[in-house]
Amino acid sequence: MIRGTTKLIAHLGYPTESFKAPMIYNPYFEREGIDAVVVPMGCKADDYPAFLRLFFRLSNAHGALITMPHKVTTTGLVDEVQTTAAIAGACNAVRLDADGRLVGDMFDGEGFVRGVLGKGRVLKGARALVVGAGGVGSAIAASLAKAGVAALGLFDSHAPLANGLADRLRKHYPELVVTVGSNDPAGFEIVVNATPLGMKAGDALPMDVARIAPSAFVGEVVMKQEITPFLAAVRARGCAFQIGVDMLFEQIPGYLEFFGFPTTTSEDLRSVAQLGYEETRS
């Protein structure tokens, strides 16, 4: 039930059709009696800088979840950028502090890494490829570096994004071997699609799946459906994989702490979520 006392958390992005977070947060808030609600708000890129500040002028605005295409832009709109977000060059969460300052942080990468480790994969010393160096790809790369991978390959169709991310990684992780410019997954133990490819019917695959080793672990960020065309292809090769929504579940406990709400485990969140996927995980 939304009341006059309800704290608003905006879920800002465009388009909103594939948003999954409201179906996870809101059932949890209802069960726990937390007077807050996550509301999808479709905001186009040109309108976003003005709208973000305007939203936080509402007296019942508490925070915002940020998704495509606004994660990178957000770093220049908040008053304080936390360390992980600074390395990633993107924010996916903004809160309003008591002093009226907007604080931005990034949880995509931590959620992704926690999910991979929870599935028993070893990241320390591994070779990882991240295809897509926008907000989510940068965050995953930053957290993979933090987790101790030995080598990190980066690719983006817009080369300056990958080059900028590589520079930030080298600054903070000078021992990390960073290569840029190829989406060839051969030789990598961890392979990540961090592009939007798969959100629209007929999208090309983000890389040549035939070049992925069957022993590799593959991650997906697209959440429009559970088994994307990319994951269907890597599953056919025998690869272990992580679906896009796993990253979301694993990062939400950190989000809840960031917003000052009672937190829980990813397993508990799965038990209350109402995602309504037509497909089932195999």
Side-chain angles (χ1 to χ4, degrees):
M1 178 65 67
I2 299 176
R3 307 171 178 84
T5 57
T6 301
K7 296 177 180 178
L8 297 181
I9 299 175
H11 191 181
L12 290 166
Y14 182 82
T16 63
E17 287 79 6
S18 64
F19 285 11
K20 303 299 182 188
M23 290 97 84
I24 303 172
Y25 284 91
N26 291 333
Y28 172 71
F29 289 157
E30 183 176 2
R31 190 195 69 185
E32 296 298 308
I34 298 171
D35 193 11
V37 64
V38 172
V39 182
M41 296 184 182
C43 185
K44 295 183 180 180
D46 289 346
D47 300 321
Y48 177 68
F51 183 77
L52 180 70
R53 284 283 179 178
L54 186 62
F55 169 76
F56 279 104
R57 292 179 65 181
L58 297 173
S59 62
N60 55 343
H62 185 75
L65 309 174
I66 312 298
T67 189
M68 295 185 294
H70 306 315
K71 295 179 183 181
V72 174
T73 305
T74 303
T75 61
L77 301 176
V78 297
D79 301 303
E80 179 183 344
V81 178
Q82 303 280 31
T83 301
T84 301
I87 296 171
C91 293
N92 71 347
V94 178
R95 71 166 184 249
L96 182 65
D97 273 3
D99 59 4
R101 299 171 72 250
L102 297 183
V103 178
D105 208 344
M106 169 53 76
F107 295 93
D108 278 344
E110 294 304 309
F112 182 87
V113 164
R114 286 181 58 182
V116 174
L117 294 174
K119 294 174 178 63
R121 303 298 291 212
V122 176
L123 291 177
K124 190 172 181 61
R127 291 175 48 84
L129 172 68
V130 178
V131 177
V136 64
S138 296
I140 290 172
S143 291
L144 286 171
K146 180 181 177 182
V149 298
L152 194 51
L154 305 174
F155 177 83
D156 196 279
S157 58
H158 183 56
L161 283 179
N163 291 329
L165 173 58
D167 289 343
R168 296 192 299 275
L169 285 165
R170 291 175 181 133
K171 175 182 177 181
H172 291 275
Y173 299 97
E175 302 300 317
L176 178 65
V177 177
V178 182
T179 57
V180 182
S182 173
N183 66 344
D184 183 0
F188 290 96
E189 294 127 332
I190 306 293
V191 176
V192 185
N193 172 40
T195 77
L197 292 173
M199 291 187 68
K200 298 178 182 177
D203 277 350
L205 295 180
M207 66 193 75
D208 184 355
V209 173
R211 299 277 291 169
I212 302 176
S215 59
F217 185 91
V218 178
E220 171 71 281
V221 304
V222 174
M223 301 183 195
K224 186 173 183 179
Q225 60 194 103
E226 186 172 43
I227 302 299
T228 61
F230 176 60
L231 288 185
V234 300
R235 180 170 62 182
R237 280 195 61 76
C239 298
F241 60 86
Q242 175 166 282
I243 65 173
V245 79
D246 281 357
M247 177 180 68
L248 182 58
F249 278 111
E250 292 291 348
Q251 67 183 285
I252 288 178
Y255 267 123
L256 293 169
E257 294 171 2
F258 179 72
F259 289 131
F261 294 127
T263 192
T264 186
T265 64
S266 61
E267 292 77 13
D268 181 45
L269 291 165
R270 291 177 194 276
S271 73
V272 299
Q274 299 176 15
L275 292 179
Y277 277 126
E278 292 181 2
E279 298 181 62
T280 55
R281 192 182 329 188
S282 62

